[in-house]
């Protein structure tokens, strides 16, 4: 049933700006799909209805985070608006944020309802400079009665912030049907602070050899790890782990991507990238994440011989030269710590942590406990990494890959700066439409709604699949990249990636 009949009828709260429609501009004043990396998310504090009603027992909390996809219907997680409704949400600005500090803004939406051709639902913002409601979007982006997410730009944002809190109005003049919102937030991008200079990320001699990067004391100073780099300006990224031409990063340096994920070890076994090489990437305007695993180890890694046999838990499915490890064992920490030290000393912006999925893939009793405890142990390891790294460089970023459901652990979000996801929409040109795909997208959206950067990597080569991945990822507020699973090249998708 699309229309639920047990409405909670609200009295009409007449707002001077909400009940009239004659001064509303009837042209779309937006650029759909706008993405704001590193934005602050504002949530609705009050919801007032000028007419119509919402569902019984529902409230503003259902608009704060995106949790639903497909045709999921969990009553407490969204707000259902009756036909012919008009509602206004108010979004107070955080402390320290004002109209003159915001350089960009957008509305984040997750909608389920009729097609625009059947019934038009409008998203409007109050313009303090003209005292009018401005249409910033409608449900043209949405599929018929499937959860559809998008971002709607708020151009020239000062006009929506200069006279008080941001006000959004959601309404329809039609009585055809109801509609549902699982997300209605405002994201604001604040003016950047100092992003560092090309010369502050270290010299070729201060971090490039194994002997000077292995201890906590030589990786934590401002001279050899760089100055803090704000987590901003990331609307594109590339991801290459093997087959660097001549063992160098020149192809990545020549690209126009904002961020690059590269191996900590250029050949996987001994050739660590140096501070000079990472500094060269950063001097071109890129942020650079060091890739390494925290839940498994390959036989060719330089630390392989240091990992005791009883710490290994058997081969990773499909990767016979890679073994799961007891990541909760204290003997594993020196391996991880050494990798963090090298990333810090080489001046990487942060680390990109793979094999978080180990907690899901090993037997549930591997630690003598259960799956939930394995999840807590993985969160504890990520927290330890974050605390260790940030004690030495507060600007160092920690970005785990996959397992977005860890957001259910309250200790997880505070210790990560972003999330990387694979196979969000396409897996080697096969559509990701299993139930776990939808769950991953929904949980990743919760991470994004919490203000974290979400990078989505899909594996496809067919142009229609590439376009689909970029379109859907950007609509969800993620930063997309589509390449081949070997991650052995810099892929530049024409029309989608910067050139």
């Amino acid at each position: 049933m699309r229309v639920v009949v047990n409405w909670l009828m609200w009295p009409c709260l007449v707002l001077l700006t909400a009940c009239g429609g004659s001064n509303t501009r009837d042209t779309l004043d937006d650029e759909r799909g706008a993405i704001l990396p590193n934005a602050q998310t504002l949530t609705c504090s009050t919801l007032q209805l000028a007419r119509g009603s919402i569902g019984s027992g529902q409230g503003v909390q259902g608009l704060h985070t995106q949790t639903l996809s497909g045709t999921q219907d969990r009553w407490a997680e969204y707000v259902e608006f009756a036909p012919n409704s008009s509602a206004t949400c108010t979004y107070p600005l955080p402390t320290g944020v004002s109209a003159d500090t915001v350089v960009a803004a957008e509305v984040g939406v997750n909608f389920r309802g009729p097609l625009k051709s059947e019934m038009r639902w409008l998203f409007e913002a109050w313009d303090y400079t003209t005292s009018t409601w401005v249409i910033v979007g409608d449900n043209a982006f949405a599929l018929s009665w499937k959860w559809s997410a998008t971002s709607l730009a708020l151009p020239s944002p000062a006009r929506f912030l200069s006279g008080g809190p941001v006000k959004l109005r959601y309404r329809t003049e039609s009585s055809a049907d109801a509609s549902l919102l699982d997300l209605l937030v405002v994201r604001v991008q604040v003016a950047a602070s100092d992003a560092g200079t090309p010369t502050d990320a270290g010299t070729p001699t201060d971090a490039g050899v194994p002997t000077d990067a292995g201890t906590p004391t030589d990786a934590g100073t401002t001279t050899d790890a760089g100055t803090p780099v704000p987590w901003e300006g990331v609307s594109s990224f590339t991801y290459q782990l093997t087959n660097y031409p001549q063992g160098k990063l020149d192809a990545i340096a020549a690209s126009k991507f904002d961020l690059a994920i590269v191996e900590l070890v250029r050949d996987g076994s001994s050739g660590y990238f140096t501070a000079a090489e990472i500094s060269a990437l950063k001097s071109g305007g890129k942020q650079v994440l060091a890739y390494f695993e925290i839940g498994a180890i390959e036989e060719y890694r330089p630390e392989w011989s240091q990992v005791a046999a009883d710490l290994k838990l058997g081969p990773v499915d499909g990767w016979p030269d890679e073994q799961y490890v007891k990541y909760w064992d204290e003997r594993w920490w020196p391996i991880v710590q050494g990798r963090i030290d090298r990333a810090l000393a080489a001046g990487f912006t942060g680390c990109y942590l793979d094999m978080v999925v180990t907690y899901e893939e090993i037997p549930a009793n591997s630690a003598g406990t259960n799956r939930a405890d394995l999840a807590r142990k993985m969160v504890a390891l990520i927290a330890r990494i974050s605390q260790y790294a940030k004690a030495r460089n507060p600007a160092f970023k920690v970005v785990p890959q996959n397992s977005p459901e860890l957001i259910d652990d309250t200790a997880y979000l505070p210790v990560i700066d972003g999330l990387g996801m694979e196979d969000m929409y396409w897996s080697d040109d096969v559509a990701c439409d299993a139930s776990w795909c939808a769950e991953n997208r929904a949980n990743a959206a919760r991470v994004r709604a919490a203000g974290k950067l979400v990078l989505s990597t899909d594996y496809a080569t067919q142009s229609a699949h590439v376009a689909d991945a970029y379109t859907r990822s950007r609509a969800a507020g993620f930063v997309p990249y589509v390449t081949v699973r070997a991650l052995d090249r810099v892929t530049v998708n024409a029309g989608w990636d910067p050139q």
Side-chain angles (χ1 to χ4, degrees):
M1 293 290 291
R2 293 178 180 176
V3 180
V4 178
V5 297
N6 58 332
W7 297 103
L8 172 65
M9 297 306 296
W10 288 34
C12 179
L13 300 174
V14 180
L15 305 176
L16 292 177
T17 57
C19 290
S22 60
N23 63 348
T24 301
R25 303 177 189 177
D26 197 30
T27 57
L28 295 184
D29 197 6
D30 75 314
E31 296 179 7
R32 286 190 180 83
I35 302 300
L36 295 182
N38 196 34
Q40 296 189 46
T41 300
L42 316 183
T43 56
C44 179
S45 62
T46 59
L47 174 66
Q48 296 180 312
L49 272 78
R51 65 174 184 271
S53 57
I54 66 171
S56 176
Q58 295 180 327
V60 293
Q61 290 77 15
L63 303 175
H64 289 179
T65 57
Q66 179 180 335
T67 62
L68 301 174
S69 61
T71 58
Q72 292 175 327
D73 191 340
R74 297 192 290 269
W75 182 255
E77 297 180 27
Y78 62 85
V79 177
E80 184 166 27
F81 293 85
N84 196 31
S85 284
S86 177
T88 299
C89 259
T90 301
Y91 299 80
L93 295 180
T95 302
V97 175
S98 60
D100 58 354
T101 63
V102 174
V103 295
E106 68 185 15
V107 178
V109 175
N110 195 26
F111 170 95
R112 184 177 176 221
L115 295 171
K116 177 185 175 180
S117 59
E118 301 169 351
M119 181 183 187
R120 191 185 190 198
W121 285 87
L122 291 171
F123 300 90
E124 301 169 313
W126 181 251
D127 186 334
Y128 284 99
T129 62
T130 60
S131 297
T132 58
W133 287 103
V134 176
I135 298 175
V136 295
D138 59 21
N139 56 324
F141 64 90
L143 301 174
S144 178
W145 286 98
K146 289 187 178 180
W147 288 109
S148 303
T150 195
S151 299
L152 306 172
L154 290 173
S156 303
R159 57 183 170 147
F160 303 113
L161 291 80
S162 59
V166 180
K167 294 180 182 179
L168 298 182
R169 186 167 69 173
Y170 180 64
R171 68 181 179 91
T172 184
E173 302 298 326
S174 171
S175 298
D177 209 341
S179 69
L180 322 177
L181 290 182
D182 171 46
L183 182 73
L184 188 63
V185 298
V186 175
R187 305 184 188 111
V188 295
Q189 183 72 59
V190 178
S193 57
D194 177 26
T197 61
T199 57
D200 68 1
T203 63
T205 57
D206 70 355
V209 296
T211 56
D212 73 352
T215 64
T217 56
D218 72 356
T221 66
T222 55
T223 55
D224 71 0
T227 56
V229 179
W231 193 242
E232 62 180 11
V234 178
S235 58
S236 63
F237 78 102
T238 187
Y239 186 0
Q240 184 181 8
L241 298 183
T242 66
N243 198 35
Y244 303 110
Q246 292 81 50
K248 298 181 179 180
L249 299 173
D250 294 349
I252 293 175
S255 73
K256 302 298 184 182
F257 293 98
D258 301 320
L259 180 145
I261 301 168
V262 302
E263 256 282 2
L264 182 64
V265 190
R266 85 183 71 241
D267 60 5
S269 61
S270 60
Y272 291 94
F273 284 115
T274 66
E277 292 171 297
I278 301 308
S279 179
L281 283 184
K282 293 168 69 177
S283 69
K286 290 178 176 58
Q287 301 189 47
V288 193
L289 300 181
Y291 170 96
F292 54 85
E293 295 186 348
I294 62 170
I297 189 167
E298 302 99 326
E299 294 178 3
Y300 54 82
R301 291 292 178 184
E303 308 96 340
W304 173 261
S305 63
Q306 301 171 36
V307 181
D310 67 324
L311 283 181
K312 299 167 186 172
L313 292 171
V316 176
D317 186 28
W319 304 89
D321 62 349
E322 183 176 1
Q323 292 264 334
Y324 294 113
V325 297
K326 297 179 181 178
Y327 56 87
W328 58 90
D329 194 297
E330 190 62 27
R331 292 172 296 167
W332 176 243
W333 173 247
I335 305 299
V336 176
Q337 177 183 323
R339 293 173 173 179
I340 303 167
D341 287 337
R342 288 188 178 277
L344 284 163
F348 281 91
T349 306
C351 57
Y352 191 80
L353 310 176
D354 199 9
M355 290 309 292
V356 175
V357 295
T358 291
Y359 97 86
E360 302 177 76
E361 297 180 352
I362 59 178
N365 63 352
S366 294
T369 53
N370 53 40
R371 188 72 65 199
D373 183 63
L374 288 175
R376 286 190 291 270
K377 285 177 165 56
M378 180 57 74
V379 171
L381 176 58
I382 295 169
R384 188 175 185 180
I385 291 168
S386 182
Q387 291 158 6
Y388 179 84
K390 291 178 186 296
R392 289 149 180 81
N393 180 358
F396 193 81
K397 308 304 180 186
V398 175
V399 183
Q401 178 172 267
N402 298 324
S403 302
E405 68 281 354
L406 292 177
I407 191 177
D408 290 332
D409 188 320
T410 57
Y412 184 64
L413 270 178
V415 299
I416 68 170
D417 299 283
L419 173 70
M421 290 295 301
E422 294 178 291
D423 303 296
M424 289 278 267
Y425 307 100
W426 293 92
S427 300
D428 305 311
D429 282 303
V430 176
C432 192
D433 55 11
S435 60
W436 62 264
C437 302
E439 291 171 4
N440 275 352
R441 290 191 290 267
N443 284 320
R446 293 168 62 196
V447 175
R448 176 66 180 87
K452 308 293 183 179
L453 181 70
V454 175
L455 308 172
S456 66
T457 301
D458 285 279
Y459 301 112
T461 57
Q462 296 183 30
S463 58
H465 301 167
V466 171
D468 179 76
Y470 276 85
T471 301
R472 294 169 69 188
S473 177
R474 286 175 174 163
F478 308 145
V479 178
Y481 181 58
V482 181
T483 187
V484 295
R485 192 172 296 276
L487 297 171
D488 60 355
R489 68 200 67 177
V490 176
T491 301
V492 180
N493 296 290
W496 299 104
D497 292 321
Q499 294 178 283

